[in-house]
Amino acid sequence: MTAEFSTPTQKPALWQPNRRRSRQIEWLVRVVCFLFAAISILTTLGIVLTLIFETIDLFLDPFFRQALWIERLPDLLPNASEAQIQALSDQIQDIDPKQLIDQAETIGLEPPSRIAGFFYALKRFFTDTRWTPLFKTADFGIFVLISATLLTSTIAMLVAIPLGLLTAVFLSEYAAPSVRQVLKPVLELIAGVPSVVFGYFALLTVTPFLQGFIPPLQGFNALSAGMVLGISITPLVASLSEDAINAVPQDLRQGAFAMGATKRETIQAVVIPAALSGIVASIILAISRAVGETMIVSLAAGQNPQPIDGSLGFINPFIPVMTMTAFIVQVSLGDAPFGSLAYKTIFAVGMSLFVMTLTLNILSYWFVRRFREKYE
Amino acid sequence: MASSNSDFSPSQPVVGPAASFVANLPKRYALDRLFLVAAWVAMLIAMAVLGWLLLDVLDQGLGRLNWQFLTSFPSRRASNAGIIGALAGTFWVMIIVAVVSFPVGVGAGLYLEEFSSDNWFTRFIEINISNLAGVPSIIYGLLGLAAFVRLMEPITGGRSVLAGALTLALLVLPIIIVATREALRAVPDSIRMAGLAMGGTRWQVVAAHVMPAAISGILTGVILALSRAIGETAPLITIGALTFVPFTPGCTEEFPYFNPLDLLRCPAEVLQSPFTVMPIQIFNWISRPQPAFHENAAAAIIVLMVMLVMMNSLAIWLRNRFQRRRE
């Protein structure tokens, strides 16, 4: 009966698959694919550990112990005259921070501990009102950079929110399918333009154009960088908001129309409130993107950290500022040697940037989950 | 008592919620038209800005775009400078990004979609991937600087093609993983059931039936990911790609300086070579004060945009093919 199948000429392998080998291959493929999936976790781990270690390394830099030492001199030597203190602080100032401990004996005083230096650095990082880490008398006020980032991001959102939302409403509620078919690719095209190209546009086209209307506008400024940044994230706001608006069931619109509402009233009173969680989430994501954007702001917004003081330069959109990302680019272009103060500083700035964007991303995710209207 | 009466008294002006019942139609329709005009204007502003950008770049750059520009190395004189170094760097980096990110991204997508059960670990990876997609690209540059340039220096040779490509590969992985998962999800379960019913293992079913059905969707995602990588500037500046590169990676000394076989003939000279890429060359030219270099930047932008449009057209073609087959 089965003899026909078991003759050697009938390719028995076809009927008797090597299940053992199949299982081995299956296992191998699973393991390899699992390892590939695990790379994403390694990436996150790598980012977090790198940023944390280098940031801590910055705060432990002897530079801060030296600065704290000088600051404490009047307390350490309460009986010394002002001239003595000045001479001593000059002497300490001249020490290369790397040899602080070796040279401490020549001063005859105990330098502050590593822990004290760490907390002093932390304090400087959050309370300094200037950002001059590459100077001899360095200041590390991260809020100088954060304020510039917030300035460009705010201008960007002032452009992107109205443009993106109106575009989303237009595409989902008004546009005929034929119009949509033209407009959607245009939006995708804007989203696909590399940011360095937008940087070119902001610096060499938009700034000269705006200077025609606003004479005090300088060659590098937060205004044109922010505006172009806003255009570049408009597609993000538009497409995510459109998804949220499209998810609102048709019944709700028809209900509103049946009550005698006009189309605009329906959109404003029914559709947008119903899609609000998705819209807000898209806006938060766009803010996160604006905060992390690099090329536009480092090309067009300038490299001048504005001190946080009464002159209010840090909220002036007409003058050059320096965002967090622009600082990282500036130092990277200067080829900072490994282990130098500048090298560690870019990781501390990166850490601040990472914390900000991560918070925004989580907020956006949480917002959708928490406030989503569920329709059956 | 008195107040409830006054609510319904017709002599009183209507206020509060009742106000919205006044059918002032002309005014409401006027507002409607205004709103529609505003929506049109928003749409037109976005399009006009894009048009302005493109026209400006074309206007500035077309005059500079010639054979000499495409085949010259950078120079201190703007009129002698060209982009061959940046073009070769971009080609090499893109090849390695594709070689690394394609198997890893697709493998990770396969694991999440086909091989894993829905447990806490899978969900953790999913959340992790969506978080990675939101990390600014310059942060990946910092990771690349610490991990690939410094930690793995014996392998990558420092600020090299390989270090840059690995950094960009990590950057685009989330895009490829998400695209792979979507393409796999679009394959009907009946195909898997049929394959399993024939006695195939999961991998046999995936390799022989699911992947062929999903491959064009996956490739679309990979190309879109590469077109993101080709325009990335910030992470490569952070890892220290050079801005003045009067040579090309590899060991091909004569024109066109770019030979894929170099990867076999002299892999170290390709992978460990210092490099520049198109966006960095553009950045460098923009940041110089002389207008002649700005024209160079515009011309290089045209080349970069043409490359992007070609890649996107390929992706759209693949997507259309994919959609037609599903119908």
Side-chain angles (χ1 to χ4, degrees), chain A residues 23-358:
Chain A
R23 264 198 298 274
Q24 283 166 347
I25 293 176
E26 167 96 7
W27 181 82
L28 191 72
V29 170
R30 271 172 191 255
V31 168
V32 169
C33 285
F34 169 79
L35 290 178
F36 286 164
I39 284 182
S40 71
I41 293 179
L42 283 182
T43 309
T44 308
L45 214 60
I47 289 174
V48 172
L49 291 182
T50 303
L51 293 178
I52 288 179
F53 278 132
E54 296 288 352
T55 306
I56 290 177
D57 207 31
L58 169 72
F59 291 159
L60 287 176
D61 196 278
F63 169 86
F64 290 104
R65 293 170 73 182
Q66 190 181 18
L68 177 61
W69 203 7
I70 294 171
E71 201 178 287
R72 274 189 184 167
L73 274 181
D75 298 333
L76 290 171
L77 305 165
N79 301 325
S81 71
E82 220 160 276
Q84 280 173 312
I85 301 257
Q86 188 59 45
L88 209 52
S89 77
D90 285 348
Q91 203 181 343
I92 295 174
Q93 188 76 59
D94 286 340
I95 301 176
D96 179 4
K98 287 196 185 73
Q99 290 154 3
L100 191 67
I101 311 304
D102 304 336
Q103 307 242 333
E105 287 169 20
T106 61
I107 308 287
L109 280 169
E110 186 74 12
S113 68
R114 278 166 71 87
I115 300 295
F118 180 84
F119 284 107
Y120 175 72
L122 209 60
K123 190 194 111 199
R124 292 281 302 271
F125 196 65
F126 288 113
T127 58
D128 276 3
T129 56
R130 290 173 172 279
W131 177 264
T132 53
L134 307 181
F135 295 175
K136 176 80 181 149
T137 54
D139 275 320
F140 291 86
I142 186 67
F143 282 104
V144 172
L145 300 185
I146 292 181
S147 74
T149 294
L150 291 183
L151 179 62
T152 53
S153 305
T154 308
I155 296 170
M157 294 321 291
L158 289 179
V159 173
I161 291 177
L163 280 192
L165 275 188
L166 282 171
T167 303
V169 167
F170 181 76
L171 283 175
S172 57
E173 302 291 318
Y174 286 104
S178 58
V179 180
R180 243 183 85 89
Q181 265 181 347
V182 178
L183 295 184
K184 280 292 267 187
V186 171
L187 277 185
E188 281 173 25
L189 198 59
I190 298 179
V193 172
S195 59
V196 70
V197 177
F198 277 120
Y200 169 92
F201 183 60
L203 177 67
L204 300 175
T205 310
V206 175
T207 297
F209 175 75
L210 287 179
Q211 277 171 331
F213 303 96
I214 312 169
L217 196 68
Q218 299 194 16
F220 296 103
N221 60 77
L223 183 65
S224 57
M227 285 170 68
V228 174
L229 181 55
I231 294 285
S232 79
I233 55 177
T234 296
L236 180 75
V237 178
S239 70
L240 291 180
S241 300
E242 196 204 342
D243 289 346
I245 291 173
N246 280 338
V248 175
Q250 205 60 30
D251 304 4
L252 289 185
R253 295 185 184 85
Q254 280 156 1
F257 289 143
M259 299 291 286
T262 66
K263 189 148 190 171
R264 173 192 59 88
E265 287 162 351
T266 306
I267 292 167
Q268 282 184 349
V270 176
V271 177
I272 288 182
L276 199 61
S277 69
I279 290 173
V280 172
S282 80
I283 291 173
I284 298 175
L285 270 188
I287 297 174
S288 156
R289 183 74 67 83
V291 166
E293 160 58 39
T294 308
M295 297 323 294
I296 301 174
V297 289
S298 51
L299 274 170
Q303 311 273 331
N304 303 46
Q306 298 290 346
I308 298 187
D309 56 21
S311 68
L312 295 184
F314 64 100
I315 53 167
N316 184 347
F318 298 152
I319 60 176
V321 293
M322 184 188 243
T323 64
M324 293 192 274
T325 49
F327 173 74
I328 299 178
V329 165
Q330 187 203 30
V331 173
S332 303
L333 285 173
D335 242 357
F338 293 129
S340 66
L341 204 58
Y343 175 82
K344 295 176 198 167
T345 316
I346 61 175
F347 285 91
V349 174
M351 181 84 195
S352 320
L353 183 64
F354 181 71
V355 169
M356 281 173 75
T357 54
L358 186 70

Side-chain angles (χ1 to χ4, degrees), chain B residues 272-294:
Chain B
Q272 302 193 343
S273 164
F275 71 108
T276 192
V277 290
M278 290 291 290
I280 290 187
Q281 184 65 70
I282 294 169
F283 170 78
N284 178 249
W285 278 334
I286 298 173
S287 47
R288 293 193 194 198
Q290 302 91 330
F293 279 110
H294 298 163

Side-chain angles (χ1 to χ4, degrees), chain B residues 4-313:
Chain B
S4 75
N5 272 341
S6 72
D7 271 357
F8 297 99
S9 143
S11 61
Q12 294 282 322
V14 186
V15 289
S20 54
F21 293 125
V22 176
N24 183 357
L25 277 178
K27 189 185 153 203
R28 287 163 62 196
Y29 280 131
L31 277 174
D32 264 43
R33 276 193 296 277
L34 201 68
F35 187 69
L36 182 57
V37 168
W40 262 112
V41 167
M43 206 50 239
L44 288 177
I45 287 178
M47 289 172 69
V49 169
L50 180 68
W52 185 19
L53 188 160
L54 294 179
L55 285 179
D56 190 68
V57 166
L58 285 175
D59 177 47
Q60 290 284 313
L62 266 188
R64 190 66 193 81
L65 200 60
N66 53 32
W67 188 244
Q68 175 271 331
F69 181 71
L70 292 177
T71 57
S72 299
F73 284 106
S75 161
R76 216 165 289 184
R77 291 243 307 277
S79 54
N80 290 346
I83 55 170
I84 187 72
L87 272 179
T90 288
F91 277 131
W92 278 121
V93 169
M94 282 299 116
I95 286 176
I96 299 162
V97 169
V99 166
V100 173
S101 65
F102 178 73
V104 174
V106 173
L110 274 177
Y111 175 79
L112 291 173
E113 210 53 40
E114 303 286 340
F115 294 132
S116 68
S117 48
D118 183 29
N119 55 22
W120 68 269
F121 187 71
T122 324
R123 276 198 297 277
F124 178 63
I125 294 184
E126 277 171 19
I127 293 173
N128 184 39
I129 288 171
S130 59
N131 264 328
L132 278 180
V135 173
S137 61
I138 198 163
I139 303 281
Y140 281 92
L142 292 176
L143 171 68
L145 180 61
F148 300 134
V149 175
R150 219 175 119 190
L151 210 61
M152 288 167 57
E153 191 172 4
I155 304 171
T156 59
R159 307 170 188 273
S160 65
V161 170
L162 185 59
L166 289 176
T167 308
L168 288 186
L170 287 186
L171 176 69
V172 298
L173 264 187
I175 305 176
I176 298 181
I177 295 175
V178 169
T180 303
R181 297 189 65 184
E182 272 169 16
L184 289 174
R185 244 179 261 161
V187 177
D189 249 355
S190 53
I191 290 183
R192 293 186 187 86
M193 301 294 177
L196 291 171
M198 296 300 286
T201 62
R202 279 211 88 120
W203 165 240
Q204 285 170 330
V205 172
V206 167
H209 302 286
V210 179
M211 280 295 273
I215 194 70
S216 54
I218 294 175
L219 285 180
T220 309
V222 171
I223 294 170
L224 289 180
L226 289 182
S227 70
R228 161 95 191 273
I230 205 171
E232 274 298 340
T233 324
L236 294 182
I237 290 182
T238 313
I239 69 153
L242 299 180
T243 48
F244 187 86
V245 179
F247 55 85
T248 59
C251 44
T252 307
E253 297 299 337
E254 69 278 5
F255 188 77
Y257 305 103
F258 173 77
N259 183 350
L261 290 178
D262 280 3
L263 207 50
L264 303 172
R265 282 192 299 178
C266 48
E269 276 176 69
V270 172
L271 297 177
Q272 302 193 343
S273 164
F275 71 108
T276 192
V277 290
M278 290 291 290
I280 290 187
Q281 184 65 70
I282 294 169
F283 170 78
N284 178 249
W285 278 334
I286 298 173
S287 47
R288 293 193 194 198
Q290 302 91 330
F293 279 110
H294 298 163
E295 285 176 21
N296 282 1
I301 287 174
I302 296 174
V303 177
L304 181 65
M305 295 289 273
V306 167
M307 287 157 85
L308 273 172
V309 167
M310 276 161 54
M311 290 170 80
N312 280 300
S313 312

